[in-house]
Amino acid sequence: LRSCSPGRARRTNASRRACLVARFGDIYAQERLDAETLLRTYISDMEMVQRIIYIAAVESFHAAKMAYRQFKIRVRETLSLGHSGPESLEDTVLDYIVRHEDLYDVQGSVNEVIRSMNINPKISFPPEIDFIVISTLIRELCRVAFSMQTLVPPLDIAFGTDGELFSETKYHRSFDSDFTAALVAYHVWPALMENDLVIVKGEVVTKR
């Protein structure tokens, strides 16, 4: 017989969600600006600096989600061997991951992000410098993105493309935008989504 009582992960879902949404905001306000300041010592073009940071955020979420999926598969395979309840196997797996998030190989994800950024055609970097200089930002984004996958439903960032139509519900315009322009020139920070709803607006630059 399977008990209907939710697992610990589900019981703590609301409080963990609130903490992670707040942490995402803190990264935008602190680590992002620190990374911006650091990059400006090497790159004079502010647009390139902001593009680098945005791509770092996108790649961090991608790497953390991949790592989470692989981690979850390994945990499910291990726990299924001796699972008997009372919780469902899925709830037991989720509880285990929430309790053992320190087993997440965040450095592996950071390395993956830097590899992806090195081959991204939209961003360039002086050859004597490596994207590792913003590894603090990348690490914090990977951590929060991984933890967001343990929520029900999980949180993710919105998909953004240069030239997309500006959306008031999805983005703030940066202060140096053309406020009459209808199209996004480039992204500064991604919007945070739950299912298809925006819960934290991103930031973009709009230009004619």
Side-chain angles (χ1 to χ4, degrees):
L1 286 175
R2 201 176 86 201
S3 149
C4 291
S5 67
R8 185 175 176 276
R10 289 180 187 272
R11 291 198 305 275
T12 60
N13 196 70
S15 58
R16 289 187 299 111
R17 180 187 181 278
C19 288
L20 289 167
V21 171
R23 181 70 191 115
F24 185 75
D26 290 343
I27 293 171
Y28 169 78
Q30 187 60 58
E31 281 89 347
R32 177 186 69 93
L33 293 181
D34 292 344
E36 205 173 86
T37 303
L38 199 57
L39 289 173
R40 287 303 298 273
T41 61
Y42 306 109
I43 303 169
S44 57
D45 179 9
M46 188 59 173
E47 178 179 330
M48 182 55 71
V49 166
Q50 291 179 324
R51 280 181 181 274
I52 287 170
I53 289 171
Y54 175 74
I55 286 168
V58 171
E59 292 292 351
S60 295
F61 266 78
H62 178 69
K65 285 191 297 180
M66 290 285 288
Y68 179 79
R69 280 199 287 272
Q70 290 159 2
F71 191 65
K72 190 175 182 181
I73 288 166
R74 289 199 304 273
V75 171
R76 188 188 289 116
E77 282 174 355
T78 304
L79 295 183
S80 65
L81 299 173
H83 180 73
S84 58
E87 293 177 357
S88 69
L89 178 59
E90 275 306 298
D91 277 358
T92 305
V93 167
L94 196 57
D95 285 354
Y96 180 91
I97 296 172
V98 168
R99 282 201 309 273
H100 298 93
E101 279 186 53
D102 56 317
L103 297 178
Y104 165 42
D105 175 19
V106 69
Q107 188 57 47
S109 289
V110 171
N111 297 341
E112 193 58 49
V113 171
I114 291 169
R115 260 198 302 276
S116 298
M117 291 177 72
N118 280 329
I119 57 170
N120 191 305
K122 285 190 177 179
I123 51 177
S124 58
F125 214 40
E128 68 277 10
I129 309 301
D130 193 280
F131 288 118
I132 204 161
V133 297
I134 57 166
S135 59
T136 300
L137 170 71
I138 294 168
R139 181 173 286 101
E140 292 310 306
L141 281 165
C142 286
R143 276 191 213 283
V144 82
F146 185 90
S147 296
M148 283 176 174
Q149 304 317 299
T150 68
L151 298 173
V152 184
L155 301 184
D156 199 359
I157 52 172
F159 178 74
T161 54
D162 291 353
E164 70 179 285
L165 199 61
F166 174 74
S167 164
E168 287 281 359
T169 57
K170 208 170 175 183
Y171 302 117
H172 297 291
R173 293 180 205 257
S174 65
F175 71 93
D176 53 346
S177 290
D178 176 344
F179 279 72
T180 62
L183 300 180
V184 171
Y186 64 93
H187 297 73
V188 175
W189 194 249
L192 191 64
M193 310 285 286
E194 186 175 64
N195 290 331
D196 294 323
L197 294 173
V198 177
I199 54 172
V200 179
K201 285 185 182 184
E203 186 182 333
V204 295
V205 174
T206 54
K207 287 180 183 170
R208 284 191 178 280

